[in-house]
Amino acid sequence: MSEDELRAVADRFAEAKILVLGELWLEQVLRGAAAPGANGILRVRDPERIMRAGGAAGVACCAAALGAAVWAAGVVGQDAQAGELLRALGAARVDPFAIASDPDHGTGEKLILNVEGAQAEPQGAVEIVLSPAAPLAGAPAQEMLDHVEAIAAGAGAIVMALYDSIPEQTVLERLTRSARANGKPVVAGLGCTLPPGCGGLAKAALPPCDMLAVAPAERAGDAEAEGVPVQALLAEGRHAAVVIVAADGRAAVHTGNAPEGEVIEASPIQRSPAWEQFMAGLAVAAALGADAATSARMGAAAAAAAARGGGVVSPDALSREPGM
């Protein structure tokens, strides 16, 4: 695909409508420069504190920043964290109509420590789960799906942004039926952080997807080494396309016609905001009818812009990316 063709898809982002379903997190980010103190203690003075939506909620916010109309779907608790998360979604112009609340579970909450060390070398972010995300199961999930079904006809794509768990089978079956009945593509993203990693979740009972994106492998060609059974996922039409996203920035697009994979070059995708932005770019392009390779290129460009800018990406920032 030429740069002009890719840019033509980006120019239509305001026409896209997507519904993003999955684990919803409220993330508290502490960012600053650390200096060594006594007894081996690192001290961070005047850290920058950011409250943001994460997980599927983060993907929804990134897609809205690109100009799409976005609904978020999932389950939260009935607590102060739910109020903060809903405010963050509202500020990003994400419609929370399909979010259900569950008094028996708290809202997912993470504390993320992102500091630079004494030698000014970036340290890996430390992610602390303060409260697990409410599961997509039981009566709250069925309530969520009632709202999803009311929206599905108006959405251009149904997006599942999953991390460390798969919704219960009845939820997946009902979601798939709704998407198929309305002729909407199903796009799934697995951004796993727990063992056995994305390979284990990819082999779980996911519904057939038009696109399944999996991250991170160390390199895009390491799908089998990372436990992601690409050929099995493509076999018998289980998934139409599988995109393996690597920490080194490459994405390999596998389809039934080209199972060896088309490799797309991009900047490193190492931190969760970049992955959320990748999924947003991919999903918005898919909602506009783009094929898997084009959608992956859009996702890679969005992730690269996020890695450089340190946050959600605007259409202007995306337009300045090489290849756009």
Side-chain angles (χ1 to χ4, degrees), residues 98-112:
I99 296 178
S101 63
D102 182 1
D104 295 327
H105 290 88
T107 301
E109 185 178 15
K110 294 180 181 180
L111 175 64
I112 299 173

Side-chain angles (χ1 to χ4, degrees), residues 219-289:
R219 293 178 296 277
D222 286 350
E224 298 300 338
E226 293 292 320
V228 182
V230 172
Q231 296 306 318
L233 293 172
L234 291 170
E236 300 177 356
R238 182 172 179 185
H239 301 296
V242 176
V243 182
I244 306 298
V245 183
D248 68 2
R250 295 187 301 162
V253 181
H254 303 263
T255 66
N257 294 327
E260 68 279 1
E262 174 187 349
V263 175
I264 294 168
E265 300 291 339
S267 297
I269 301 171
Q270 296 174 330
R271 299 182 181 179
S272 58
W275 168 245
E276 291 169 2
Q277 195 72 59
F278 178 92
M279 278 304 303
L282 179 143
V284 173
L288 293 170

Side-chain angles (χ1 to χ4, degrees), residues 130-150:
L130 302 177
S131 176
L136 296 180
Q142 296 300 322
E143 177 188 344
M144 171 198 72
L145 287 171
D146 290 341
H147 298 309
V148 168
E149 288 172 347

Side-chain angles (χ1 to χ4, degrees), residues 202-226:
K203 288 181 283 189
L206 278 174
C209 296
D210 296 275
M211 256 181 278
L212 169 64
V214 182
E218 285 303 312
R219 293 178 296 277
D222 286 350
E224 298 300 338
E226 293 292 320

Side-chain angles (χ1 to χ4, degrees), residues 27 32 48 94 123-124 178 187 197 238 279 301 308 323:
E27 295 182 347
E48 180 185 10
V94 173
Q123 306 299 306
S178 179
V187 178
R238 182 172 179 185
M279 278 304 303
R308 268 187 269 279

Side-chain angles (χ1 to χ4, degrees), residues 31-276:
R31 183 182 295 141
N39 301 317
I41 296 175
L42 281 179
R43 296 186 178 275
V44 181
R45 295 185 180 276
D46 301 320
E48 180 185 10
R49 184 186 182 96
I50 301 169
M51 301 288 282
R52 71 186 184 199
V59 175
C61 289
C62 290
L66 289 173
V70 185
W71 294 273
V75 179
V76 297
Q78 295 180 358
D79 47 28
Q81 289 80 5
E84 289 286 348
L85 179 56
L86 292 174
R87 277 190 285 276
L89 290 171
R93 303 185 310 282
V94 173
D95 191 328
F97 175 74
I99 296 178
S101 63
D102 182 1
D104 295 327
H105 290 88
T107 301
E109 185 178 15
K110 294 180 181 180
L111 175 64
I112 299 173
L113 306 178
N114 194 345
V115 301
E116 293 186 353
Q119 303 300 318
E121 291 291 335
Q123 306 299 306
V126 176
E127 185 176 281
I128 302 168
V129 176
L130 302 177
S131 176
L136 296 180
Q142 296 300 322
E143 177 188 344
M144 171 198 72
L145 287 171
D146 290 341
H147 298 309
V148 168
E149 288 172 347
I151 294 168
I158 307 295
V159 182
M160 293 187 293
L162 307 174
Y163 290 80
D164 298 322
S165 65
I166 298 292
E168 69 179 5
Q169 193 63 32
T170 56
V171 172
L172 293 174
E173 290 172 355
R174 188 174 165 191
L175 177 69
T176 303
R177 284 198 304 270
S178 179
R180 298 305 180 211
N182 287 283
K184 307 302 178 181
V186 176
V187 178
L190 297 177
C192 311
T193 59
L194 298 178
C198 293
L201 290 187
K203 288 181 283 189
L206 278 174
C209 296
D210 296 275
M211 256 181 278
L212 169 64
V214 182
E218 285 303 312
R219 293 178 296 277
D222 286 350
E224 298 300 338
E226 293 292 320
V228 182
V230 172
Q231 296 306 318
L233 293 172
L234 291 170
E236 300 177 356
R238 182 172 179 185
H239 301 296
V242 176
V243 182
I244 306 298
V245 183
D248 68 2
R250 295 187 301 162
V253 181
H254 303 263
T255 66
N257 294 327
E260 68 279 1
E262 174 187 349
V263 175
I264 294 168
E265 300 291 339
S267 297
I269 301 171
Q270 296 174 330
R271 299 182 181 179
S272 58
W275 168 245
E276 291 169 2

